[in-house]
Amino acid sequence: MQTPYPNFSESENLHWKAFKTGDTASFSFLYQEYSPGLYNYGAKFSMDKDLIKECIQELFVQLWTKRNSIGIPPHVKNYLYKSYRNLILKKVAQLQKHRDFDETENYEFNVSLDVEEALIDGERRKAVSEQLQLTISGLTARQREAIFLKFYEQLSYEEIAEIMGITVKASYKIMARSLDFLRDNLSKEDLLLLYLIFSLKLFS
């Protein structure tokens, strides 16, 4: 049985090609399909809701105005996420007045875990939640972003590399170091719980 992803990817490409010809319905489809995910992604870089929305609007305005010169990307989602990431990082840097912006050193990526009562309850839930959140905060912004893209967006290492503007080898290395850090700083029980949270997408 085929997975739905290839069919959706084909639909994406059809809408992208139609949008390039000036089809407003296909352009609207792309906006409606991806703006919620882009907003969620942008919220990790900044808590400024207006900035997040502004960057999404600017991204799609740029797409529309440059539609004749834009190519057809192999993966529409990856293209949009990468373009949006570059845009919001530049906006954040401008607001913080970083003239020579180096994203490897000067960007934030914040995630918060949601330890549901179904997973663990009572007084221990609060303590475990705080411990997991503290451990996650010990990762670098780049490591947290890679984990978010891998587990929440369910992207491959190749796709993570494309969006983050790094090599595939670097994406593997970032993930490996992230998991090593988590293993070194959590008990086996808490580590399994954290993996469960990741697999259930219980973080925002």
Side-chain angles (χ1 to χ4, degrees):
M1 182 177 178
Q2 285 188 328
T3 62
Y5 181 75
N7 293 331
F8 183 70
S9 181
E10 182 179 349
S11 175
E12 283 181 313
N13 289 334
L14 289 174
H15 280 292
W16 188 269
K17 291 176 182 178
F19 134 71
K20 279 177 55 61
T21 67
D23 187 323
T24 56
S26 287
F27 180 69
S28 178
F29 168 85
L30 293 170
Y31 180 83
Q32 296 297 329
E33 183 66 35
Y34 290 108
S35 58
L38 290 171
Y39 184 92
N40 186 38
Y41 187 37
K44 308 300 179 292
F45 294 101
S46 173
M47 296 178 64
D48 187 336
K49 294 181 180 179
D50 290 335
L51 175 64
I52 296 166
K53 294 176 183 177
E54 176 188 329
C55 288
I56 293 174
Q57 294 294 331
E58 184 171 332
L59 171 63
F60 280 91
V61 167
Q62 289 178 359
L63 288 175
W64 183 255
T65 56
K66 297 179 180 179
R67 64 187 182 279
N68 293 325
S69 59
I70 294 175
I72 301 174
H75 303 286
V76 172
K77 177 179 178 178
N78 296 354
Y79 177 84
L80 292 176
Y81 271 56
K82 180 179 181 178
S83 300
Y84 181 70
R85 181 182 190 271
N86 291 336
L87 182 59
I88 197 166
L89 282 174
K90 288 180 182 178
K91 293 285 187 180
V92 170
Q94 289 170 1
L95 289 174
Q96 295 177 346
K97 298 181 179 179
H98 292 154
R99 292 184 180 179
D100 299 318
F101 178 61
D102 180 359
E103 69 171 76
T104 61
E105 300 294 336
N106 296 308
Y107 85 100
E108 296 291 332
F109 194 88
N110 299 301
V111 294
S112 58
L113 304 176
D114 182 10
V115 183
E116 292 189 341
E117 291 184 13
L119 300 178
I120 186 171
D121 58 13
E123 200 170 300
R124 184 169 177 271
R125 177 170 172 249
K126 180 180 179 182
V128 170
S129 179
E130 290 176 349
Q131 177 59 43
L132 294 180
Q133 191 67 57
L134 180 63
T135 304
I136 286 291
S137 67
L139 297 170
T140 67
R142 185 164 286 243
Q143 289 171 334
R144 289 193 294 272
E145 183 179 3
I147 285 177
F148 174 83
L149 293 173
K150 180 66 176 176
F151 292 99
Y152 191 89
E153 295 293 346
Q154 298 181 326
L155 300 182
S156 67
Y157 287 102
E158 291 75 13
E159 291 173 318
I160 292 171
E162 180 183 353
I163 290 173
M164 295 181 66
I166 57 178
T167 65
V168 176
K169 182 178 179 180
S171 71
Y172 275 102
K173 186 179 293 185
I174 288 171
M175 189 62 66
R177 287 178 176 174
S178 301
L179 297 180
D180 284 345
F181 178 85
L182 295 176
R183 278 191 288 266
D184 290 342
N185 290 275
L186 289 172
S187 66
K188 289 184 178 180
E189 183 180 357
D190 287 349
L191 183 63
L192 288 174
L193 177 60
L194 184 61
Y195 286 164
L196 181 58
I197 290 171
F198 286 162
S199 66
L200 295 175
K201 298 185 179 181
L202 297 179
F203 55 103
S204 58

